[in-house]
Amino acid sequence: MKAERAEVLARLWEIGPEPRPEQLEADGTGLLPFAYIEGTGAYLYWLTGADVRPEEWTVLANAGRGPEWEYHPAPRPRFILSVLAGGARAG
């Protein structure tokens, strides 16, 4: 899934009109898809970094059917707990 999503996003960002999220501007950052929301087409990605430990990865959510990206700055464990407790919406 990672390679497929990377290819799709690269194409969108090359030909436009979808803008690349500003969180990906830093060197060494990347996206690792971890969830797809059935019915909406939304994807959730861990925002990875060269010098960032996995437990500190944050989340970028893409609407799937449009250029909207939503950044969740909470580290990975806190984001998951928040979603499960109903405090954050995923997508």
Side-chain angles (χ1 to χ4, degrees):
M1 178 163 79
K2 180 181 177 183
E4 176 187 322
R5 293 306 309 156
E7 184 178 319
V8 168
L9 293 173
R11 254 186 313 191
L12 286 173
W13 294 331
E14 280 179 28
I15 61 174
E18 189 163 315
R20 184 177 164 95
E22 66 182 51
Q23 290 82 6
L24 294 173
E25 297 304 318
D27 287 340
T29 59
L31 294 174
L32 178 60
F34 73 91
Y36 173 74
I37 301 174
E38 195 72 38
T40 68
Y43 277 89
L44 300 177
Y45 300 88
W46 299 126
L47 179 61
T48 64
D51 297 327
V52 181
R53 297 185 335 233
E55 61 270 14
E56 296 173 347
W57 292 347
T58 54
V59 175
L60 273 172
N62 177 252
R65 296 192 177 127
E68 295 83 21
W69 286 86
E70 186 175 307
Y71 177 60
H72 296 273
R76 203 170 65 151
R78 192 169 356 135
F79 174 79
I80 292 171
L81 286 173
S82 181
V83 169
L84 292 174
R89 279 197 47 187

